[in-house]
């Protein structure tokens, strides 16, 4: 059954990204000149919410910011985009989460995060908003908040039969009890390596790691392989989706936009293969622009992009014949 405007509950982090472009990453003890500094709204959960909202879904974000300029700016920005921010708490003790990002000339990034208010959750904070979970069928969550809070949220999600989509980033180990409550896990290669202890250096090892993750009780593993595309592995089988070739400007938020789009399609009732294909387009379009949230495309942009790509690929296959 297809849903027109799927509603998705998101729990996680909201950050202000302080971004500087440089010819390369600075070495220890080195000061060097970068160029165009920008303050860009970011944080995985916040990026998902913007993606879902841009696509026409309804995103409710449960998060924490500090009682400061960054916090207010981030919340105002989300309100403007159409995200439900009624459950973004203001923390009087901690500052708003901040990420320092250096982007080199290839478009690769190095990120240093001060979690601030994002890390200052207690289980009681979640218990106080337990009734919100009853209003939703889908929970999208990442590991940008303390692991015990993620675990606690997942047990409440289980109680009310929410489908859980977990982005296991930033990279860290997860207890099997946590993974067994996840319906869709979407790691990148590094995250999958840490979760399985398997080195991933080609498609075969990526398939193997995905298979190992399924054994923990997860229903579906969708692995993000960056420029190499994505894998979909479930009990029924496995499928590889090549990436869409685009000029790379900045890879920040591409993975978040991918997962946001995937969750939107899944909540809409679209089959997973089509959902991964669509999410691939959204992720690809995101790397063509600078910054986290400003680079997340709108629905009409994606539709144009898909049309243009399908047109080009059908014409290039005609040329080959």
């Amino acid at each position: 059954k297809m849903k027109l405007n799927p509603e998705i509950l998101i729990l996680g982090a909201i950050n202000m990204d302080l971004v500087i472009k440089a010819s390369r990453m600075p070495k220890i003890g080195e000061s060097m000149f970068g160029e165009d500094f920008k303050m860009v709204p970011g944080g995985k959960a916040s990026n998902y919410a913007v993606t879902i909202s841009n696509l026409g879904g309804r995103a409710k974000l449960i998060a924490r910011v500090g009682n400061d300029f960054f916090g207010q700016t981030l919340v105002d920005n989300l309100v403007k985009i159409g995200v439900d921010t009624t459950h973004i708490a203001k923390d009087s003790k901690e500052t708003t989460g901040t990420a320092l990002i250096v982007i080199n000339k290839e478009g690769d990034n190095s990120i240093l995060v001060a979690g601030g208010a994002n890390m200052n959750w207690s289980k009681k904070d979640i218990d106080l908003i337990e009734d919100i979970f009853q209003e939703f069928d889908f929970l999208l969550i990442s590991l940008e908040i303390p692991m015990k809070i993620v675990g606690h949220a997942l047990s409440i999600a289980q109680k009310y039969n929410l489908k859980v989509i977990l982005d296991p980033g930033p990279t860290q180990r997860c207890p099997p009890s946590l993974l067994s409550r996840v319906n869709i896990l979407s790691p990148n290669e590094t995250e999958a390596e840490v979760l399985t202890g398997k080195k991933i250096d080609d498609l075969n090892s990526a398939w193997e790691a995905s298979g190992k993750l399924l054994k923990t009780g997860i229903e579906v593993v969708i692995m993000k392989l960056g420029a190499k595309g994505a894998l979909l592995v479930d009990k029924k089988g496995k499928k590889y989706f090549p990436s869409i070739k685009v000029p790379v400007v900045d890879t920040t938020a591409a993975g978040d936009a991918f997962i946001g789009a995937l969750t939107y399609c899944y909540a809409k009732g679209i089959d997973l293969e089509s959902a991964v294909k669509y999410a691939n387009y959204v992720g690809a379009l995101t790397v063509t622009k600078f910054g986290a949230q400003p680079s997340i495309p709108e629905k009409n942009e994606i539709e144009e992009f898909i049309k243009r790509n399908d047109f080009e690929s059908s014409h290039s296959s005609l040329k080959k014949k």
Side-chain angles (χ1 to χ4, degrees):
K1 188 161 113 270
M2 293 287 273
K3 288 190 178 145
L4 249 179
N5 305 339
E7 299 186 349
I8 296 150
L9 183 63
I10 302 164
L11 174 62
I14 174 168
N15 293 322
M16 183 63 88
D17 292 350
L18 306 177
V19 190
I20 296 185
K21 283 184 175 174
S23 56
R24 58 172 173 78
M25 305 301 168
K27 296 192 186 85
I28 290 173
E30 175 184 32
S31 299
M32 56 184 274
F33 283 110
E35 55 202 73
D36 61 325
F37 165 76
K38 285 196 172 65
M39 290 196 313
V40 187
K44 282 178 172 297
S46 182
N47 294 343
Y48 309 144
V50 170
T51 307
I52 289 161
S53 202
N54 279 0
L55 293 177
R58 294 197 201 134
K60 182 177 197 70
L61 178 56
I62 300 174
R64 294 178 88 78
V65 292
N67 196 3
D68 50 34
F69 168 73
F70 282 172
Q72 195 53 56
T73 309
L74 290 167
V75 173
D76 292 347
N77 180 57
L78 288 170
V79 169
K80 205 165 74 219
I81 289 166
V83 174
D84 180 345
T85 60
T86 42
H87 284 86
I88 296 181
K90 278 209 168 131
D91 192 310
S92 53
K93 294 191 181 68
E94 290 285 344
T95 57
T96 299
T98 309
L100 301 178
I101 304 178
V102 180
I103 299 170
N104 69 10
K105 60 175 186 295
E106 286 75 42
D108 295 316
N109 57 33
S110 278
I111 306 180
L112 192 59
V113 181
N118 294 317
M119 301 312 281
N120 198 25
W121 284 94
S122 70
K123 287 183 176 178
K124 196 173 146 229
D125 295 323
I126 303 291
D127 291 336
L128 289 171
I129 51 173
E130 183 177 320
D131 56 339
I132 295 169
F133 284 72
Q134 300 177 54
E135 299 164 25
F136 289 86
D137 297 320
F138 300 91
L139 172 68
L140 173 53
I141 191 165
S142 77
L143 303 180
E144 269 188 319
I145 56 175
M147 192 72 79
K148 67 170 198 284
I149 301 299
V150 174
H152 192 54
L154 292 197
S155 52
I156 294 173
Q158 201 172 25
K159 181 170 158 187
Y160 298 113
N161 293 322
L162 278 78
K163 297 265 189 218
V164 173
I165 300 94
L166 173 68
D167 172 0
T171 313
Q172 50 196 301
R173 288 210 170 89
C174 276
S177 61
L178 192 143
L179 291 176
S180 65
R181 297 193 183 124
V182 172
N183 299 87
I184 296 182
L185 181 80
S186 186
N188 62 24
E189 290 150 290
T190 322
E191 290 151 6
E193 277 186 5
V194 168
L195 291 174
T196 60
K198 285 186 86 68
K199 181 94 189 89
I200 299 174
D201 40 27
D202 58 8
L203 265 181
N204 256 343
S205 49
W207 290 129
E208 280 168 23
S210 303
K212 198 170 171 182
L213 286 166
L214 280 189
K215 291 198 179 93
T216 58
I218 295 164
E219 286 173 26
V220 183
V221 175
I222 294 167
M223 199 183 293
K224 305 183 290 284
L225 303 171
K228 296 192 286 294
L231 306 180
L232 166 63
V233 184
D234 59 15
K235 307 273 185 293
K236 296 199 284 283
K238 54 187 196 179
K239 193 166 167 111
Y240 168 67
F241 299 83
S243 69
I244 290 107
K245 299 285 169 266
V246 287
V248 176
V249 173
D250 175 9
T251 57
T252 312
D256 300 343
F258 176 94
I259 291 180
L262 179 81
T263 304
Y264 167 78
C265 293
Y266 179 56
K268 220 172 149 65
I270 292 169
D271 68 280
L272 278 174
E273 285 193 15
S274 309
V276 176
K277 268 186 203 147
Y278 187 77
N280 244 348
Y281 279 110
V282 176
L285 205 45
T286 305
V287 304
T288 62
K289 292 189 237 167
F290 179 70
Q293 282 166 28
S295 68
I296 295 169
E298 304 262 348
K299 192 173 196 151
N300 54 356
E301 275 181 90
I302 296 155
E303 281 161 10
E304 299 262 302
F305 180 58
I306 292 173
K307 267 191 211 133
R308 207 166 58 236
N309 262 285
D310 288 351
F311 177 80
E312 281 166 13
S313 59
S314 61
H315 280 67
S316 68
S317 59
L318 287 173
K319 278 184 200 135
K320 278 175 199 147
K321 287 169 196 166

